[in-house]
Every structure is written in structure tokens, then in C-alpha cells.
């Protein structure tokens, strides 16, 4: 309880307090912050930049987490489940490297991959001179996040598939069921709860991710400024700590709404 109070409850209360003030990093408001009530929240909700950032975040989460990481992670887990234990361990270790390598190193690798001059991708495709991060910035960070987070998704789905009784697979095989029928009638009914839980974790993880900043810094012209990057710019680069705290609390509330939807679906499944 003490750890929860120090690292969760107190920061949450402090963020709520900051969001009600005009606290800044520098200037008079840093020395003598004033209480402004709900002004920061109203300003944020009325700011076109915030609404644009929110739309970018929703698109980023949907395509890179709900669609990309979930589908690719499940596909890898399904493909690897029949491999021999030694081979599967080696493959999973290689895939996991994308998840355990520090974000700064990953960012350097992807910048080298997508560079306009001497970039690995341009060399492979014969498209020298293509500035992927300038011409396709949102697509680039979506693919980057899929690559970065699929290993975690694969591990979650591997655990889910391990919970399916082997006897049901044998029964489906003996009855002549194909792969699609097996997935529909055997696998998904057994792992539906796992799928919802896994998707919740992947969604929340992606919603709060900051790593794309290391590649695009929110650019060009704000086209990849998802909420985490937007809050960083407002709170630290522009020094508006009060407004940044208000935005952070709005982000927490969005996370709670998303989590409550998943949890409700999970409860309906159990009942």
C-alpha cells in the first residue's frame, strides 16, 4: 500500500492539482502559480491541435495494435506452436529481440533503415531518394510499432493457445476440420477471454507509447504527433506544466474508458 501510495496515488493527485493551475517551468507562473480551475481542460478540448492529435492516436492504436500486433502476434504464435521446443525457443528469442532492445537503439536502426540516402530499405527496393519518414510518416511509425510490439503479443497468444485442451485439437483433426474451422470452432471459443485481455494490454501499451518521438519527433508538421508526443511538447518543450497535466489526466480518462469497455466485454463472456 505504501508503494502504491508513493508511486501511483500521490502522482495522480499531484497531476490533478497541476491541471487546475497555470504552473509553468519558467517565469512568474513557475514561482507563483495561480488556480485556474477547469480552464486548462476546456482549452485542451477546444484546441484543434489536441483533437488532431487524438485522431492520430486513435488511428495509430487501431492499425498498429488492434490490427497489426494482434493479428501478426496471433499468426506467429499459431505458426510456432507445432515447432520442436528447441527451434521454437530460438525463433522466439530472435523475435523477442525487437521488444527487449532499448528504444534508442531501435530508433537508430529504423532511421538507418528508412534514410533517404544510403537507407537499407531504399537499397533493397531500388527506390533511392525516397524519404519514407517525410512522405509516409504515419505509415512508418505504425509499421515500426507493429514490429516493436509483436513479440509481446506473440507471447501472450502463445500462452493462450497453450491453454486449449489438446484433445479438442485431436477431435477436430479426426473429424476432418480444416484450419479455419479449427480456429472458429475450437481455438477462439477457448481463448476469447485471453484475446480480450491481450488486446486490452496491447491497446493501452500502444496508446501511451512515446518511442515514435525518437524517429519523427512528431513531425513533419505534426503529422505523427500522437498524444504522448503532444503532451511532451506542451508540458516540457513549451513549459506549460499545468496544461500538460490536464492533458495527461484526459489521457488517463480515455485509458479508463477503453479498459472499462474491454472489461465489460470480458464479464459478458463469463456470464
Amino acid at each position: 500500500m505504501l508503494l502504491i501510495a508513493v508511486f501511483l496515488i500521490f502522482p495522480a493527485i499531484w497531476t490533478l492539482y497541476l491541471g487546475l493551475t497555470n504552473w509553468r517551468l519558467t517565469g512568474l507562473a513557475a514561482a507563483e502559480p495561480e488556480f485556474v480551475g477547469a480552464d486548462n481542460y476546456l482549452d485542451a478540448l477546444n484546441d484543434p491541435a489536441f483533437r488532431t492529435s487524438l485522431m492520430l492516436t486513435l488511428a495509430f492504436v487501431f492499425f498498429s495494435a488492434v490490427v497489426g500486433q494482434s493479428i501478426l502476434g496471433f499468426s506467429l504464435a499459431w505458426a510456432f506452436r507445432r515447432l520442436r521446443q528447441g527451434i521454437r525457443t530460438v525463433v522466439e528469442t530472435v523475435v523477442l529481440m525487437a521488444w527487449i532492445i532499448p528504444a534508442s537503439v531501435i530508433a537508430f536502426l529504423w532511421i538507418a533503415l528508412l534514410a533517404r540516402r544510403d537507407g537499407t530499405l531504399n537499397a533493397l527496393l531500388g527506390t533511392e531518394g525516397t524519404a519514407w519518414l517525410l512522405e509516409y510518416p504515419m505509415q512508418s511509425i505504425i509499421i515500426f510499432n507493429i514490429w516493436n510490439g509483436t513479440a509481446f503479443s506473440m507471447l501472450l497468444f502463445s500462452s493462450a493457445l497453450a491453454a486449449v485442451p489438446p484433445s479438442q485439437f485431436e477431435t477436430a483433426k479426426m473429424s476432418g476440420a480444416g484450419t479455419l474451422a479449427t480456429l472458429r470452432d475450437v481455438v477462439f471459443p477457448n481463448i476469447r477471454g485471453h484475446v480480450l485481455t491481450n488486446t486490452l494490454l496491447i491497446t493501452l501499451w500502444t496508446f501511451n507509447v512515446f518511442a515514435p518521438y525518437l524517429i519523427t519527433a512528431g513531425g513533419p508538421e505534426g503529422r505523427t504527433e500522437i498524444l504522448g508526443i503532444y503532451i511532451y511538447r506542451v508540458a516540457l518543450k513549451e513549459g506549460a506544466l499545468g496544461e500538460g497535466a490536464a492533458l495527461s489526466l484526459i489521457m488517463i480518462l480515455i485509458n479508463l474508458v477503453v479498459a472499462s469497455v474491454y472489461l465489460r466485454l470480458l464479464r459478458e463472456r463469463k456470464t
Side-chain angles (χ1 to χ4, degrees):
M1 291 300 296
L2 180 61
L3 290 174
I4 292 174
V6 172
F7 293 105
L8 183 62
I9 297 177
F10 173 73
I13 295 175
W14 184 248
T15 300
L16 177 62
Y17 166 71
L18 286 181
L20 299 175
T21 69
N22 66 343
W23 204 314
R24 297 188 62 86
L25 281 176
T26 59
L28 183 61
E32 300 178 2
E34 297 179 357
F35 182 82
V36 296
D39 288 354
N40 287 329
Y41 297 92
L42 296 176
D43 291 343
L45 295 175
N46 292 322
D47 187 359
F50 169 75
R51 294 196 293 269
T52 300
S53 178
L54 179 59
M55 292 299 104
L56 289 174
T57 304
L58 294 177
F60 176 71
V61 170
F62 178 77
F63 287 108
S64 70
V66 179
V67 176
Q69 290 184 27
S70 295
I71 292 178
L72 185 56
F74 178 81
S75 299
L76 290 173
W78 178 259
F80 293 161
R81 70 185 181 88
R82 290 187 176 181
L83 293 177
R84 293 166 58 181
Q85 183 61 40
I87 298 176
R88 186 169 62 185
T89 300
V90 172
V91 173
E92 288 180 348
T93 301
V94 173
V95 175
L96 273 173
M97 289 180 66
W99 189 53
I100 63 175
I101 295 175
S104 58
V105 177
I106 293 175
F108 175 81
L109 294 174
W110 273 79
I111 291 173
L113 173 71
L114 301 175
R116 174 185 292 184
R117 297 180 180 178
D118 301 324
T120 307
L121 185 59
N122 282 333
L124 293 173
L125 299 179
T127 54
E128 186 174 352
T130 301
W132 299 98
L133 293 176
L134 294 177
E135 299 177 24
Y136 309 99
M138 196 62 182
Q139 295 90 328
S140 296
I141 66 169
I142 286 174
I143 295 173
F144 157 77
N145 195 62
I146 292 173
W147 176 87
N148 191 27
T150 294
F152 180 69
S153 175
M154 181 193 71
L155 288 180
L156 294 177
F157 284 116
S158 294
S159 299
L161 290 174
V164 180
S167 59
Q168 295 189 16
F169 283 116
E170 292 297 328
T171 302
K173 184 178 179 180
M174 293 176 62
S175 64
T179 300
L180 293 179
T182 301
L183 289 173
R184 182 187 66 238
D185 300 328
V186 176
V187 175
F188 289 126
N190 278 285
I191 69 169
R192 184 170 180 266
H194 294 84
V195 171
L196 289 173
T197 303
N198 296 351
T199 307
L200 170 62
L201 293 174
I202 296 166
T203 299
L204 295 180
W205 185 292
T206 303
F207 199 92
N208 298 285
V209 74
F210 187 72
Y213 178 84
L214 301 175
I215 298 177
T216 64
E221 299 178 350
R223 290 164 62 188
T224 60
E225 195 173 59
I226 56 179
L227 272 180
I229 299 175
Y230 175 70
I231 294 173
Y232 168 77
R233 175 174 65 83
V234 171
L236 298 181
K237 298 186 73 173
E238 297 179 4
L241 288 180
E243 186 177 348
L247 290 168
S248 298
L249 190 59
I250 293 174
M251 191 174 184
I252 291 174
L253 293 176
I254 295 173
N255 279 289
L256 290 175
V257 170
V258 172
S260 65
V261 171
Y262 279 112
L263 292 175
R264 181 173 181 179
L265 292 173
L266 187 61
R267 285 196 298 269
E268 290 177 354
R269 180 240 176 207
K270 290 182 178 180
T271 56

